[in-house]
Amino acid sequence: MACTGIELISQQGNPYWGRTQDFEQHFEYSGVKVPKGYEFSAAYTPFVTEQNVMGIVWAKDIHESPVLLDGINDYGICGGSFYFDHFYKYVPTAQIEAEGKIAIRGEELCTWVLTHYTSLDDIKDNLGHDIGITTDSGPMMDMSVPQHCVFHDETGRSIVVEPSIENGFKIFENPVGVFTNAPTFDWHLNNLKAWLERTTKRSYTYSNDEPVDQIALDEPTSGLVGIPADYKPESRFLRAAFSKLLSVDVNDDDALNQIFQLLTSVNTPKGSLRINQPNETLVAWTQYTAGYDIKKKILYAFTYDNQNLRSLEYGDPNEWGDNIRYFSFISKQTAEPFVEKNEWENGENTI
């Protein structure tokens, strides 16, 4: 319940996005390629995909009821689903269908978006007319899982999709490219601006659409001094946003590594975040970290128990076949030995 996402734009103007998946329960995860025309038969209302999608699915049994946690489609729409407790407003199926919309569960929102829309404006214009999120429970957690989503495109633009109104969605432009969990996105944005006013010489109007620029190397700032160090979403949002805004510019070769480094400021080691339940204390941890090269459509991922990076390329969807394909990225940690080398060129052995 402590996921965080960060987008970076490289010096060449190309977008990259990474996210942590933090939870307190064990789920199956797998990389997937989902072809256009595939039926998600286990969905609350079964539907057929209209776009090809590559990403990562999760479920108690991913072969029985897979849903996308994050992914990228043919049109370079890339994003993921994050836990959104307290502020979601799901409604009964009858209310959704009475307005001529399709009912889905909360955990199916990211899957629906990535398999149906071709642009961020397409999402903004049509999502609220096409679907509503039901209160009826499903196979995951015995509920319609509270979720909201963030999506990016090949220009670097980002939007937030939030089911915080009954039978509809609030959709925000995301000027910072950072995302966590509840409360609502506009609250996070205003809280960030308040902290920026305390730690820099900036001032803001607090309108949702005003820019939040990088903190240049010569801009006076106290950085992360005083920023909360806990794992609550509002604290992680601040740490992620400040880490991004303070980041040096990076080129395409370094962008994903920089995102992974920035995400270390919000990683959850086992034992650090404890959730008290009536009969037990649950421990949340960063189960996996994923990164996307949006222009090249390449997915990278590693897990809590194995920091070795795995990759999955989009390739040619015409070669994917007609059924969902699964790609494992979960394995035990391995180590490469040091290499004995007594001579090297100038700069070759320098970090």
Side-chain angles (χ1 to χ4, degrees), residues 45-132:
T45 304
F47 62 84
V48 175
T49 63
E50 297 179 4
Q51 314 296 337
N52 301 296
V53 179
M54 177 184 74
I56 293 177
V57 292
W58 69 320
K60 288 293 186 183
D61 182 343
I62 55 174
H63 292 90
E64 181 69 24
S65 54
V67 287
L68 284 160
L69 256 177
D70 47 78
I72 187 169
N73 71 13
D74 288 327
Y75 292 85
I77 306 305
C78 177
S81 190
F82 293 60
Y83 204 80
F84 187 55
D85 54 350
H86 303 305
F87 292 88
Y88 69 100
K89 294 185 179 179
Y90 299 168
V91 296
T93 298
Q95 185 176 341
I96 297 169
E97 294 179 343
E99 294 189 17
K101 299 193 286 191
I102 295 171
I104 68 169
R105 300 187 188 98
E107 65 268 27
E108 298 164 358
L109 177 58
C110 180
T111 307
W112 176 275
V113 170
L114 290 175
T115 60
H116 282 79
Y117 302 113
T118 62
S119 70
L120 300 186
D121 285 333
D122 192 10
I123 299 169
K124 293 181 74 171
D125 293 343
N126 296 299
L127 180 65
H129 303 292
D130 292 342
I131 65 166

Coordinates of all heavy atoms in Angstrom, one line a residue, residues 45-132:
T45 N -17.1 -7.5 -15.8 CA -17.9 -7.6 -17.1 C -16.8 -8.0 -18.1 O -16.0 -7.1 -18.5 CB -18.5 -6.2 -17.4 OG1 -19.4 -5.8 -16.4 CG2 -19.3 -6.4 -18.7
P46 N -16.8 -9.2 -18.6 CA -15.8 -9.6 -19.6 C -15.7 -8.6 -20.8 O -16.8 -8.2 -21.3 CB -16.3 -11.0 -20.0 CG -17.1 -11.5 -18.9 CD -17.7 -10.3 -18.3
F47 N -14.5 -8.3 -21.2 CA -14.3 -7.4 -22.3 C -13.2 -7.8 -23.2 O -12.3 -8.6 -22.7 CB -14.1 -6.0 -21.8 CG -12.9 -5.7 -21.0 CD1 -11.6 -5.5 -21.5 CD2 -13.0 -5.8 -19.6 CE1 -10.5 -5.3 -20.8 CE2 -11.8 -5.6 -18.8 CZ -10.6 -5.4 -19.4
V48 N -13.2 -7.4 -24.4 CA -12.2 -7.7 -25.4 C -11.2 -6.5 -25.6 O -11.7 -5.3 -25.7 CB -12.8 -8.1 -26.8 CG1 -11.7 -8.3 -27.8 CG2 -13.7 -9.3 -26.6
T49 N -10.0 -6.7 -25.6 CA -9.0 -5.6 -25.7 C -9.0 -5.0 -27.1 O -9.2 -5.7 -28.1 CB -7.6 -6.1 -25.4 OG1 -7.2 -7.1 -26.4 CG2 -7.5 -6.8 -24.0
E50 N -8.9 -3.7 -27.2 CA -8.8 -2.9 -28.4 C -7.4 -2.5 -28.8 O -7.2 -2.0 -29.9 CB -9.8 -1.7 -28.3 CG -11.2 -2.1 -28.1 CD -12.1 -0.9 -28.0 OE1 -11.7 0.2 -28.2 OE2 -13.3 -1.1 -27.8
Q51 N -6.5 -2.6 -27.8 CA -5.1 -2.3 -28.1 C -4.2 -3.4 -27.6 O -4.5 -4.1 -26.6 CB -4.7 -1.0 -27.3 CG -5.7 0.2 -27.5 CD -5.8 0.7 -28.9 OE1 -4.9 0.5 -29.7 NE2 -6.9 1.3 -29.2
N52 N -3.0 -3.5 -28.2 CA -2.0 -4.4 -27.6 C -1.3 -3.8 -26.4 O -1.1 -2.5 -26.4 CB -0.9 -4.7 -28.7 CG -1.5 -5.3 -29.9 OD1 -2.0 -6.5 -29.9 ND2 -1.4 -4.6 -31.1
V53 N -1.0 -4.6 -25.4 CA -0.4 -4.0 -24.2 C 0.7 -5.0 -23.7 O 0.5 -6.2 -23.7 CB -1.4 -3.8 -23.1 CG1 -0.8 -3.3 -21.8 CG2 -2.5 -2.9 -23.5
M54 N 1.8 -4.4 -23.3 CA 2.9 -5.1 -22.6 C 3.0 -4.5 -21.2 O 2.9 -3.3 -21.0 CB 4.2 -5.0 -23.3 CG 5.4 -5.6 -22.6 SD 7.0 -5.3 -23.4 CE 7.2 -3.6 -23.0
G55 N 3.1 -5.4 -20.2 CA 3.2 -4.9 -18.8 C 3.4 -6.0 -17.8 O 3.9 -7.1 -18.1
I56 N 3.0 -5.7 -16.6 CA 3.1 -6.6 -15.5 C 1.7 -6.8 -14.9 O 1.0 -5.8 -14.6 CB 4.0 -6.1 -14.4 CG1 5.5 -6.1 -14.9 CG2 4.0 -7.0 -13.1 CD1 6.5 -5.5 -14.0
V57 N 1.3 -8.1 -14.7 CA 0.0 -8.4 -14.1 C 0.2 -8.9 -12.7 O 1.3 -9.4 -12.4 CB -0.8 -9.5 -15.0 CG1 -1.2 -8.9 -16.3 CG2 0.0 -10.8 -15.2
W58 N -0.9 -8.9 -11.9 CA -0.9 -9.4 -10.6 C -2.2 -10.1 -10.3 O -3.2 -9.8 -10.9 CB -0.6 -8.3 -9.5 CG -1.6 -7.3 -9.3 CD1 -2.4 -6.7 -10.3 CD2 -2.0 -6.7 -8.1 NE1 -3.2 -5.7 -9.7 CE2 -3.0 -5.7 -8.3 CE3 -1.6 -6.9 -6.8 CZ2 -3.6 -5.0 -7.3 CZ3 -2.2 -6.1 -5.8 CH2 -3.2 -5.2 -6.0
A59 N -2.2 -11.0 -9.4 CA -3.4 -11.7 -8.9 C -2.9 -12.8 -7.9 O -1.8 -13.1 -7.8 CB -4.1 -12.4 -10.1
K60 N -3.9 -13.3 -7.2 CA -3.6 -14.5 -6.4 C -3.2 -15.7 -7.3 O -2.4 -16.5 -7.0 CB -4.9 -14.9 -5.6 CG -5.1 -14.0 -4.4 CD -4.0 -14.1 -3.4 CE -4.4 -13.3 -2.1 NZ -3.3 -13.3 -1.1
D61 N -3.9 -15.7 -8.5 CA -3.6 -16.7 -9.6 C -3.6 -16.0 -10.9 O -4.7 -15.7 -11.4 CB -4.5 -17.9 -9.5 CG -4.2 -19.0 -10.6 OD1 -3.5 -18.7 -11.5 OD2 -4.8 -20.1 -10.4
I62 N -2.5 -15.6 -11.5 CA -2.5 -14.8 -12.7 C -3.0 -15.5 -13.9 O -3.5 -14.9 -14.8 CB -1.1 -14.2 -13.0 CG1 -0.1 -15.3 -13.1 CG2 -0.7 -13.2 -11.9 CD1 1.3 -14.8 -13.5
H63 N -3.0 -16.8 -13.9 CA -3.6 -17.5 -15.0 C -5.1 -17.6 -14.9 O -5.8 -17.8 -15.9 CB -3.0 -19.0 -15.1 CG -1.6 -19.0 -15.4 ND1 -0.6 -19.0 -14.5 CD2 -1.0 -19.1 -16.6 CE1 0.6 -19.1 -15.1 NE2 0.4 -19.1 -16.4
E64 N -5.7 -17.4 -13.7 CA -7.1 -17.4 -13.5 C -7.7 -16.1 -13.7 O -8.8 -15.9 -14.4 CB -7.4 -18.0 -12.1 CG -8.9 -18.1 -11.8 CD -9.6 -19.2 -12.5 OE1 -8.9 -20.1 -13.0 OE2 -10.8 -19.1 -12.7
S65 N -7.1 -15.0 -13.2 CA -7.7 -13.7 -13.2 C -6.7 -12.6 -13.3 O -6.5 -11.8 -12.3 CB -8.6 -13.5 -12.0 OG -7.9 -13.7 -10.8
P66 N -5.9 -12.5 -14.4 CA -4.8 -11.5 -14.4 C -5.4 -10.1 -14.6 O -6.4 -9.9 -15.3 CB -4.1 -11.9 -15.7 CG -5.1 -12.6 -16.6 CD -6.0 -13.3 -15.6
V67 N -4.8 -9.1 -13.9 CA -5.1 -7.7 -14.1 C -3.8 -6.9 -14.2 O -2.8 -7.3 -13.5 CB -6.0 -7.1 -13.1 CG1 -7.4 -7.6 -13.2 CG2 -5.5 -7.4 -11.7
L68 N -3.7 -5.9 -15.0 CA -2.5 -5.1 -15.2 C -2.3 -4.2 -14.0 O -3.2 -3.4 -13.6 CB -2.5 -4.4 -16.5 CG -2.3 -5.2 -17.8 CD1 -2.8 -4.4 -19.0 CD2 -0.8 -5.5 -18.0
L69 N -1.1 -4.2 -13.4 CA -0.6 -3.2 -12.5 C 0.0 -2.0 -13.2 O -0.1 -0.9 -12.7 CB 0.3 -3.8 -11.5 CG -0.2 -4.2 -10.1 CD1 0.9 -4.8 -9.3 CD2 -0.7 -2.9 -9.4
D70 N 0.7 -2.3 -14.2 CA 1.4 -1.3 -15.0 C 1.6 -1.8 -16.4 O 1.7 -3.0 -16.6 CB 2.6 -0.7 -14.4 CG 3.6 -1.8 -13.9 OD1 4.3 -2.4 -14.8 OD2 3.7 -2.1 -12.7
G71 N 1.8 -0.9 -17.4 CA 2.1 -1.4 -18.7 C 2.1 -0.2 -19.7 O 2.1 0.9 -19.4
I72 N 2.3 -0.6 -21.0 CA 2.4 0.3 -22.1 C 1.7 -0.3 -23.3 O 1.7 -1.5 -23.5 CB 3.9 0.7 -22.4 CG1 4.0 1.8 -23.5 CG2 4.7 -0.6 -22.9 CD1 5.4 2.4 -23.6
N73 N 1.0 0.6 -24.1 CA 0.2 0.1 -25.2 C 0.8 0.6 -26.6 O 1.9 1.2 -26.6 CB -1.3 0.4 -25.1 CG -1.6 1.9 -25.3 OD1 -0.8 2.7 -25.8 ND2 -2.8 2.2 -25.0
D74 N 0.2 0.2 -27.7 CA 0.7 0.5 -29.0 C 1.0 2.0 -29.2 O 1.9 2.4 -29.9 CB -0.4 0.1 -30.1 CG -0.5 -1.4 -30.2 OD1 0.5 -2.1 -30.1 OD2 -1.7 -1.8 -30.5
Y75 N 0.2 2.8 -28.5 CA 0.3 4.3 -28.8 C 1.2 5.0 -27.7 O 1.2 6.2 -27.7 CB -1.1 4.9 -28.7 CG -2.0 4.5 -29.9 CD1 -2.7 3.3 -29.8 CD2 -2.0 5.2 -31.1 CE1 -3.5 2.8 -30.9 CE2 -2.8 4.8 -32.1 CZ -3.5 3.6 -32.1 OH -4.3 3.2 -33.1
G76 N 1.9 4.2 -27.0 CA 2.9 4.8 -26.1 C 2.2 5.3 -24.8 O 2.9 6.1 -24.0
I77 N 1.0 4.9 -24.5 CA 0.3 5.3 -23.3 C 0.9 4.3 -22.2 O 0.8 3.1 -22.3 CB -1.2 5.2 -23.3 CG1 -1.7 6.0 -24.5 CG2 -1.8 5.6 -22.0 CD1 -1.3 7.4 -24.5
C78 N 1.5 4.9 -21.2 CA 2.2 4.1 -20.2 C 1.8 4.5 -18.8 O 1.8 5.7 -18.5 CB 3.8 4.3 -20.4 SG 4.8 3.4 -19.2
G79 N 1.6 3.6 -17.9 CA 1.2 4.0 -16.6 C 0.8 2.8 -15.7 O 1.1 1.6 -16.1
G80 N 0.3 3.1 -14.6 CA 0.0 2.0 -13.6 C -1.0 2.3 -12.6 O -1.5 3.5 -12.5
S81 N -1.4 1.3 -11.8 CA -2.4 1.4 -10.8 C -1.8 1.4 -9.4 O -0.9 0.7 -9.2 CB -3.3 0.1 -11.0 OG -4.5 0.2 -10.3
F82 N -2.4 2.2 -8.5 CA -1.8 2.4 -7.2 C -3.0 2.3 -6.2 O -4.1 2.8 -6.5 CB -1.2 3.8 -7.1 CG 0.1 3.9 -7.9 CD1 0.1 3.8 -9.2 CD2 1.3 4.2 -7.2 CE1 1.3 4.0 -10.0 CE2 2.5 4.4 -7.9 CZ 2.5 4.3 -9.3
Y83 N -2.7 1.9 -5.0 CA -3.8 1.8 -4.0 C -4.3 3.1 -3.6 O -3.5 4.1 -3.5 CB -3.2 1.0 -2.7 CG -4.3 0.4 -1.9 CD1 -4.8 -0.9 -2.3 CD2 -4.8 0.9 -0.8 CE1 -5.8 -1.5 -1.5 CE2 -5.7 0.3 0.0 CZ -6.2 -0.9 -0.4 OH -7.2 -1.5 0.4
F84 N -5.6 3.2 -3.3 CA -6.3 4.5 -3.1 C -7.4 4.4 -2.1 O -8.5 4.5 -2.4 CB -6.8 5.0 -4.5 CG -7.4 6.4 -4.5 CD1 -6.6 7.5 -4.0 CD2 -8.7 6.6 -4.9 CE1 -7.1 8.8 -4.1 CE2 -9.2 7.9 -4.9 CZ -8.4 9.0 -4.5
D85 N -7.0 4.1 -0.8 CA -8.0 3.9 0.2 C -8.6 5.2 0.7 O -8.1 6.3 0.4 CB -7.4 3.1 1.4 CG -6.1 3.8 1.9 OD1 -5.6 4.7 1.3 OD2 -5.7 3.4 3.0
H86 N -9.8 5.1 1.3 CA -10.5 6.2 1.9 C -11.2 7.1 1.0 O -12.4 7.5 1.2 CB -9.7 7.0 2.9 CG -9.0 6.2 3.9 ND1 -9.7 5.4 4.8 CD2 -7.7 6.1 4.3 CE1 -8.8 4.8 5.7 NE2 -7.6 5.2 5.3
F87 N -10.6 7.5 -0.1 CA -11.1 8.6 -1.0 C -11.9 8.1 -2.2 O -12.4 8.9 -3.0 CB -10.0 9.6 -1.4 CG -9.5 10.3 -0.2 CD1 -8.5 9.8 0.6 CD2 -10.0 11.6 0.2 CE1 -8.0 10.6 1.7 CE2 -9.6 12.3 1.2 CZ -8.5 11.8 2.0
Y88 N -11.8 6.8 -2.5 CA -12.5 6.2 -3.7 C -14.0 6.2 -3.4 O -14.5 6.1 -2.2 CB -12.0 4.8 -4.0 CG -12.4 3.8 -2.9 CD1 -13.5 2.9 -3.2 CD2 -11.7 3.7 -1.8 CE1 -13.8 2.0 -2.2 CE2 -12.0 2.7 -0.8 CZ -13.1 1.9 -1.1 OH -13.4 0.9 -0.1
K89 N -14.8 6.4 -4.5 CA -16.3 6.4 -4.4 C -16.9 5.4 -5.4 O -17.3 5.9 -6.5 CB -16.8 7.8 -4.5 CG -16.4 8.7 -3.3 CD -17.0 10.1 -3.4 CE -16.6 11.0 -2.3 NZ -17.2 12.3 -2.3
Y90 N -16.9 4.2 -5.1 CA -17.5 3.2 -6.0 C -19.0 3.1 -5.8 O -19.5 3.6 -4.7 CB -16.9 1.8 -5.8 CG -15.4 1.7 -6.0 CD1 -14.6 0.6 -5.6 CD2 -14.7 2.7 -6.7 CE1 -13.3 0.5 -5.8 CE2 -13.3 2.6 -6.9 CZ -12.6 1.5 -6.5 OH -11.3 1.4 -6.7
V91 N -19.7 2.6 -6.7 CA -21.2 2.6 -6.6 C -21.7 1.2 -7.0 O -21.0 0.4 -7.7 CB -21.8 3.6 -7.6 CG1 -21.4 5.0 -7.1 CG2 -21.4 3.4 -9.0
P92 N -22.9 0.8 -6.7 CA -23.5 -0.4 -7.1 C -23.6 -0.6 -8.6 O -23.7 0.4 -9.3 CB -24.9 -0.4 -6.4 CG -24.8 0.6 -5.3 CD -23.8 1.6 -5.8
T93 N -23.5 -1.8 -9.0 CA -23.5 -2.1 -10.5 C -24.8 -1.5 -11.1 O -24.7 -1.0 -12.3 CB -23.5 -3.6 -10.7 OG1 -22.2 -4.1 -10.2 CG2 -23.5 -3.9 -12.2
A94 N -25.9 -1.6 -10.5 CA -27.2 -1.2 -11.1 C -27.1 0.3 -11.4 O -27.6 0.8 -12.4 CB -28.3 -1.4 -10.1
Q95 N -26.4 1.1 -10.6 CA -26.3 2.5 -10.8 C -25.4 2.8 -12.0 O -25.7 3.7 -12.8 CB -25.7 3.2 -9.6 CG -25.6 4.7 -9.7 CD -25.1 5.4 -8.4 OE1 -25.2 4.8 -7.3 NE2 -24.7 6.6 -8.5
I96 N -24.4 2.0 -12.2 CA -23.5 2.1 -13.4 C -24.3 1.8 -14.7 O -24.2 2.5 -15.6 CB -22.3 1.2 -13.2 CG1 -21.5 1.6 -12.0 CG2 -21.4 1.2 -14.5 CD1 -20.4 0.6 -11.6
E97 N -24.9 0.7 -14.6 CA -25.6 0.2 -15.8 C -26.8 1.1 -16.2 O -27.2 1.2 -17.3 CB -26.1 -1.3 -15.6 CG -24.9 -2.2 -15.6 CD -25.3 -3.7 -15.3 OE1 -26.4 -3.9 -14.9 OE2 -24.4 -4.5 -15.5
A98 N -27.4 1.7 -15.2 CA -28.5 2.6 -15.4 C -28.1 3.8 -16.3 O -28.9 4.5 -17.0 CB -29.1 3.1 -14.1
E99 N -26.8 4.2 -16.2 CA -26.3 5.3 -17.0 C -25.6 4.8 -18.3 O -25.0 5.5 -19.0 CB -25.3 6.1 -16.2 CG -25.9 6.8 -15.0 CD -24.9 7.8 -14.4 OE1 -23.9 8.1 -15.0 OE2 -25.2 8.2 -13.2
G100 N -25.9 3.5 -18.7 CA -25.4 2.9 -19.9 C -23.9 2.7 -20.0 O -23.3 2.6 -21.1
K101 N -23.3 2.5 -18.8 CA -21.9 2.2 -18.7 C -21.6 0.8 -18.4 O -22.4 0.1 -17.8 CB -21.2 3.2 -17.7 CG -21.4 4.7 -18.1 CD -20.5 5.6 -17.3 CE -21.0 5.8 -15.9 NZ -20.3 6.9 -15.2
I102 N -20.3 0.4 -18.6 CA -19.9 -0.9 -18.3 C -19.3 -0.9 -16.9 O -18.5 0.0 -16.5 CB -18.8 -1.4 -19.3 CG1 -19.4 -1.5 -20.7 CG2 -18.2 -2.7 -18.8 CD1 -18.4 -1.8 -21.8
A103 N -19.7 -1.9 -16.1 CA -19.2 -2.0 -14.7 C -17.9 -2.8 -14.6 O -17.8 -3.9 -15.2 CB -20.2 -2.6 -13.8
I104 N -16.9 -2.3 -14.0 CA -15.6 -3.0 -13.8 C -15.3 -2.9 -12.3 O -15.8 -2.1 -11.6 CB -14.5 -2.5 -14.6 CG1 -14.0 -1.1 -14.2 CG2 -14.8 -2.6 -16.1 CD1 -12.7 -0.7 -14.8
R105 N -14.4 -3.8 -11.8 CA -13.8 -3.6 -10.5 C -12.7 -2.7 -10.4 O -12.0 -2.4 -11.4 CB -13.4 -5.0 -9.9 CG -14.5 -6.1 -9.9 CD -14.0 -7.3 -9.2 NE -14.9 -8.4 -9.3 CZ -14.8 -9.4 -10.2 NH1 -13.8 -9.4 -11.1 NH2 -15.7 -10.4 -10.2
G106 N -12.4 -2.2 -9.2 CA -11.3 -1.2 -9.1 C -10.0 -1.7 -9.6 O -9.2 -0.9 -10.3
E107 N -9.6 -3.0 -9.4 CA -8.3 -3.5 -9.8 C -8.2 -3.7 -11.3 O -7.2 -3.9 -11.9 CB -8.0 -4.8 -9.1 CG -9.0 -6.0 -9.4 CD -10.1 -6.1 -8.5 OE1 -10.5 -5.1 -7.9 OE2 -10.7 -7.2 -8.3
E108 N -9.4 -3.5 -12.0 CA -9.4 -3.6 -13.5 C -9.2 -2.3 -14.2 O -9.2 -2.3 -15.5 CB -10.7 -4.3 -13.9 CG -10.8 -5.7 -13.4 CD -12.3 -6.3 -13.4 OE1 -13.2 -5.5 -13.9 OE2 -12.5 -7.4 -13.0
L109 N -9.1 -1.2 -13.5 CA -9.1 0.1 -14.1 C -7.9 0.3 -15.1 O -8.1 0.7 -16.2 CB -9.1 1.2 -13.0 CG -9.0 2.6 -13.5 CD1 -10.1 3.0 -14.5 CD2 -9.0 3.6 -12.3
C110 N -6.7 0.0 -14.6 CA -5.5 0.1 -15.4 C -5.6 -0.8 -16.7 O -5.3 -0.3 -17.8 CB -4.3 -0.2 -14.6 SG -2.7 -0.1 -15.5
T111 N -6.1 -2.0 -16.5 CA -6.3 -2.9 -17.6 C -7.2 -2.3 -18.7 O -6.9 -2.3 -19.9 CB -6.8 -4.2 -17.1 OG1 -6.0 -4.7 -16.1 CG2 -6.8 -5.3 -18.3
W112 N -8.3 -1.8 -18.2 CA -9.3 -1.2 -19.1 C -8.7 0.0 -19.9 O -8.8 0.0 -21.1 CB -10.5 -0.7 -18.4 CG -11.5 -0.1 -19.3 CD1 -11.5 1.3 -19.7 CD2 -12.6 -0.7 -20.0 NE1 -12.5 1.5 -20.6 CE2 -13.2 0.4 -20.8 CE3 -13.1 -2.0 -20.1 CZ2 -14.3 0.1 -21.6 CZ3 -14.2 -2.2 -20.9 CH2 -14.8 -1.2 -21.6
V113 N -8.0 0.9 -19.2 CA -7.5 2.1 -19.9 C -6.4 1.7 -20.9 O -6.5 2.2 -22.1 CB -6.9 3.0 -18.8 CG1 -6.1 4.2 -19.5 CG2 -8.0 3.6 -17.9
L114 N -5.5 0.9 -20.5 CA -4.4 0.6 -21.5 C -4.8 -0.2 -22.7 O -4.2 -0.2 -23.7 CB -3.3 -0.2 -20.7 CG -2.5 0.7 -19.7 CD1 -1.5 -0.2 -19.0 CD2 -1.7 1.8 -20.4
T115 N -5.9 -1.0 -22.5 CA -6.4 -1.8 -23.6 C -7.5 -1.1 -24.5 O -8.0 -1.7 -25.4 CB -7.0 -3.2 -23.1 OG1 -8.1 -2.9 -22.2 CG2 -5.9 -4.0 -22.4
H116 N -7.8 0.1 -24.2 CA -8.9 0.8 -24.9 C -8.6 2.1 -25.5 O -9.3 2.5 -26.4 CB -10.1 0.9 -24.0 CG -10.9 -0.3 -23.8 ND1 -10.5 -1.4 -23.0 CD2 -12.1 -0.8 -24.4 CE1 -11.4 -2.4 -23.0 NE2 -12.3 -2.0 -23.9
Y117 N -7.6 2.9 -25.0 CA -7.5 4.3 -25.4 C -6.1 4.5 -26.1 O -5.2 3.8 -25.8 CB -7.6 5.2 -24.2 CG -9.0 5.0 -23.5 CD1 -9.1 4.4 -22.2 CD2 -10.2 5.3 -24.2 CE1 -10.3 4.2 -21.6 CE2 -11.4 5.1 -23.6 CZ -11.5 4.5 -22.3 OH -12.7 4.3 -21.7
T118 N -6.2 5.5 -27.0 CA -5.0 5.8 -27.8 C -4.3 7.0 -27.5 O -3.2 7.3 -28.1 CB -5.5 5.9 -29.3 OG1 -6.4 7.0 -29.4 CG2 -6.2 4.6 -29.7
S119 N -4.8 7.8 -26.6 CA -4.1 9.1 -26.1 C -4.6 9.5 -24.8 O -5.6 9.0 -24.3 CB -4.4 10.2 -27.1 OG -5.7 10.6 -27.1
L120 N -3.9 10.4 -24.1 CA -4.4 10.9 -22.8 C -5.7 11.7 -23.0 O -6.5 11.6 -22.1 CB -3.3 11.8 -22.2 CG -1.9 11.1 -21.9 CD1 -1.0 12.1 -21.2 CD2 -2.1 9.8 -21.2
D121 N -5.8 12.4 -24.1 CA -7.1 13.1 -24.3 C -8.3 12.1 -24.6 O -9.4 12.4 -24.2 CB -7.0 14.1 -25.5 CG -6.2 15.3 -25.2 OD1 -6.2 15.7 -24.0 OD2 -5.6 15.9 -26.1
D122 N -7.9 11.0 -25.2 CA -8.9 9.9 -25.4 C -9.4 9.4 -24.0 O -10.6 9.2 -23.8 CB -8.3 8.8 -26.2 CG -9.3 7.8 -26.7 OD1 -10.5 8.0 -26.6 OD2 -8.9 6.7 -27.2
I123 N -8.5 9.3 -23.1 CA -8.9 8.9 -21.7 C -9.8 9.9 -21.1 O -10.9 9.6 -20.6 CB -7.6 8.6 -20.9 CG1 -6.8 7.5 -21.5 CG2 -8.0 8.3 -19.4 CD1 -5.4 7.4 -20.8
K124 N -9.3 11.2 -21.2 CA -10.1 12.3 -20.5 C -11.5 12.4 -21.1 O -12.5 12.7 -20.4 CB -9.3 13.6 -20.7 CG -8.0 13.6 -19.9 CD -7.3 15.0 -20.0 CE -8.0 16.1 -19.2 NZ -7.2 17.3 -19.2
D125 N -11.6 12.2 -22.4 CA -12.9 12.5 -23.1 C -13.9 11.3 -22.9 O -15.1 11.6 -22.9 CB -12.7 12.7 -24.6 CG -11.9 14.0 -24.9 OD1 -11.9 14.9 -24.0 OD2 -11.4 14.1 -26.0
N126 N -13.4 10.1 -22.8 CA -14.3 8.9 -22.9 C -14.4 8.0 -21.7 O -15.4 7.3 -21.5 CB -13.8 8.1 -24.1 CG -14.0 8.8 -25.4 OD1 -15.1 9.2 -25.8 ND2 -12.9 9.0 -26.1
L127 N -13.4 8.0 -20.8 CA -13.4 7.1 -19.7 C -14.7 7.2 -18.8 O -15.3 6.2 -18.5 CB -12.1 7.3 -18.8 CG -12.0 6.3 -17.6 CD1 -11.8 4.9 -18.1 CD2 -10.9 6.7 -16.7
G128 N -15.0 8.4 -18.4 CA -16.2 8.6 -17.6 C -17.5 8.2 -18.2 O -18.5 7.9 -17.5
H129 N -17.5 8.2 -19.5 CA -18.7 7.8 -20.3 C -18.8 6.3 -20.5 O -19.9 5.7 -20.7 CB -18.8 8.5 -21.6 CG -18.8 10.0 -21.5 ND1 -19.8 10.7 -20.9 CD2 -17.8 10.9 -21.9 CE1 -19.5 12.0 -21.0 NE2 -18.3 12.2 -21.5
D130 N -17.6 5.6 -20.5 CA -17.5 4.2 -20.8 C -17.7 3.3 -19.7 O -18.4 2.2 -19.8 CB -16.2 3.9 -21.5 CG -16.0 4.6 -22.8 OD1 -17.0 5.0 -23.4 OD2 -14.9 4.7 -23.3
I131 N -17.2 3.6 -18.5 CA -17.2 2.7 -17.4 C -17.5 3.3 -16.1 O -17.4 4.6 -15.9 CB -15.8 1.9 -17.3 CG1 -14.7 3.0 -16.9 CG2 -15.5 1.2 -18.5 CD1 -13.4 2.3 -16.4
G132 N -17.9 2.5 -15.1 CA -18.0 2.9 -13.7 C -17.4 1.8 -12.9 O -17.3 0.6 -13.3

